[in-house]
Amino acid sequence: MGTMKIGYPCINWTIGCKGNRTFRLRNYSESRLIETVQNNVDCLLEILQFNAKHHILFFRITSDLVPFASHPVCTFDWQGHFRAQFKQIGDFIRTAAIRISVHPDQFILINTEDEEVVNRSIKELAYHAQILDSMALDETAKMQIHVGGVYGDKERSMRRFIARYEQLDQAIQRRLVIENDDQRYTLQDCLRVNMETGIPVLFDTFHHQLNSSGEEPVEALTLIAPTWRHNDGVPMVDYSSQNRADRKGKHAESIDVHHFHQFLEATKPFDFDIMLEIKDKEQSALKAVEAAARDERFVTAS
DNA sequence: AATGGTCAAGTCAGC
DNA sequence: GCTGACTTGACCATT
């Protein structure tokens, strides 16, 4: 049996509940927050139980789990209040051997020249780390971000990323990984940041097609695999394909099983965990798990 | 009950 | 300088 796992991000359409409920800032109240977070953690556990049952062992937890957690309006001790619930979810994750990631939003930029944006971004990263810490997850649970903006000078902007990364709190640093994006920072750019910082590089196959430094998937895996140290776990890969009916860059509605098979064949012999960034979420994950059943690299291989 | 404008946060291209 | 795309659903005020 192998170690590879398949997953999907944040939302499950099959089961009834939604674990990413939020509300408007102007409606903020402590009771509203408690009510929403309670719903979200309850539902998160339900989703994880569904996933484990169906051998979907990789999952991205929504950034909306605790709405406004990093905003000044929120002074509530949500970590203390929900300690037992977070621990329970963490126990389940470990028992079921599920891999977890989070993906803070596009607003999270540590390489911007605006110090206020940097400060807000660091608070948001700290919040994501607190979620994973509250679940007592090990260092294989990662927070993925992009390198950030270019600001008219990519070289200087990369240097700014590196300098700011070095100063981050250890609680953030140990979980942070960078992902090639579809417009600005390519795989090679990310690898250069890795050389200077040691930060692992998460490979996004679809972004790589749109904003490429030219490598075939297996070459890309060859390059990123060593950036993941033993404690980081196997590399994470974001997988998607183009939505045929829609504009360039739009994620597919549903997995193209044939394309997925080819991808699996083309990436041997590397081990990594695959996040399916596909609109129909768990439906595609179920198909992918089935498609991987004959690949000995997977946990679920028969 | 149905509808549709709007939502914490940033960047960048195109006017 | 300003607007809209990015990407997306769902919140919630209004009807």
Side-chain angles (χ1 to χ4, degrees):
Chain A
M1 190 171 89
T3 66
M4 285 178 68
K5 299 172 182 178
I6 286 169
Y8 63 94
C10 307
I11 297 169
N12 180 304
W13 298 112
T14 303
I15 61 179
C17 73
K18 285 280 195 316
N20 61 340
R21 251 177 53 188
T22 183
F23 52 90
R24 300 287 166 84
L25 179 56
R26 67 168 170 279
N27 297 324
Y28 183 90
S29 71
E30 211 163 280
S31 61
R32 185 71 189 261
L33 181 76
I34 291 170
E35 183 193 335
T36 304
V37 175
Q38 184 65 58
N39 167 81
N40 289 351
V41 293
D42 286 347
C43 183
L44 174 58
L45 185 57
E46 253 187 80
I47 293 175
L48 292 169
Q49 286 165 343
F50 171 96
N51 291 355
K53 188 174 159 193
H54 296 281
H55 312 295
I56 299 169
L57 299 177
F58 188 21
F59 189 68
R60 182 184 300 163
I61 295 175
T62 175
S63 295
D64 287 333
L65 195 69
V66 184
F68 304 106
S70 74
H71 191 281
V73 76
C74 177
T75 54
F76 182 66
D77 175 22
W78 56 268
Q79 269 190 297
H81 189 273
F82 290 102
R83 189 180 309 277
Q85 286 94 323
F86 276 93
K87 185 181 176 302
Q88 183 195 8
I89 291 173
D91 289 344
F92 183 81
I93 288 169
R94 274 188 305 283
T95 304
I98 294 172
R99 182 94 182 269
I100 294 293
S101 68
V102 293
H103 193 345
D105 265 317
Q106 68 205 80
F107 319 104
I108 287 23
L109 295 155
I110 62 170
N111 80 334
T112 169
E113 292 174 288
D114 185 333
E115 293 291 339
E116 283 308 304
V117 173
V118 177
N119 290 336
R120 282 199 292 273
S121 296
I122 292 173
K123 283 199 174 72
E124 182 73 358
L125 290 173
Y127 149 65
H128 283 82
Q130 282 165 2
I131 286 181
L132 303 175
D133 290 346
S134 296
M135 295 175 183
L137 302 183
D138 66 20
E139 231 175 289
T140 66
K142 294 301 186 191
M143 317 196 289
Q144 60 187 96
I145 60 170
H146 299 292
V147 177
V150 169
Y151 312 101
D153 187 340
K154 201 178 202 181
E155 192 58 37
R156 285 190 59 196
S157 297
M158 284 169 80
R159 300 236 69 83
R160 248 191 338 271
F161 180 96
I162 292 161
R164 296 251 170 72
Y165 175 81
E166 312 261 325
Q167 287 171 4
L168 291 174
D169 193 283
Q170 176 63 18
I172 296 173
Q173 243 181 32
R174 65 198 280 262
R175 296 194 186 278
L176 206 62
V177 304
I178 46 171
E179 170 190 355
N180 57 303
D181 69 76
D182 59 351
Q183 323 220 358
R184 300 181 262 281
Y185 291 90
T186 64
L187 181 65
Q188 286 297 338
D189 294 330
C190 292
L191 288 165
R192 278 196 43 217
V193 175
N194 163 265
M195 295 261 274
E196 307 265 354
T197 57
I199 188 170
V201 177
L202 186 156
F203 177 50
D204 185 308
T205 63
F206 192 40
H207 291 164
H208 188 64
Q209 283 174 38
L210 297 165
N211 179 33
S212 181
S213 40
E215 302 80 1
E216 292 299 314
V218 72
E219 295 177 70
L221 266 301
T222 307
L223 293 166
I224 65 134
T227 69
W228 295 71
R229 296 148 300 200
H230 178 69
N231 287 349
D232 295 320
V234 297
M236 292 177 174
V237 170
D238 282 0
Y239 170 89
S240 181
S241 56
Q242 172 66 37
N243 184 324
R244 284 162 205 245
D246 217 311
R247 65 161 177 78
K248 198 176 162 198
K250 186 91 169 183
H251 289 159
E253 284 289 323
S254 186
I255 191 168
D256 179 339
V257 175
H258 179 65
H259 182 278
F260 185 65
H261 251 304
Q262 287 182 327
F263 173 71
L264 292 184
E265 287 304 314
T267 53
K268 283 181 177 173
F270 286 99
D271 280 356
F272 51 95
D273 291 335
I274 308 177
M275 180 63 62
L276 304 173
E277 296 199 311
I278 299 176
K279 200 153 180 270
D280 68 358
K281 309 284 179 183
E282 79 286 352
Q283 291 306 319
S284 284
L286 291 169
K287 289 180 195 167
V289 167
E290 195 186 334
R294 275 168 288 122
D295 189 319
E296 70 286 353
R297 291 176 295 169
F298 284 84
V299 173
T300 50
S302 51

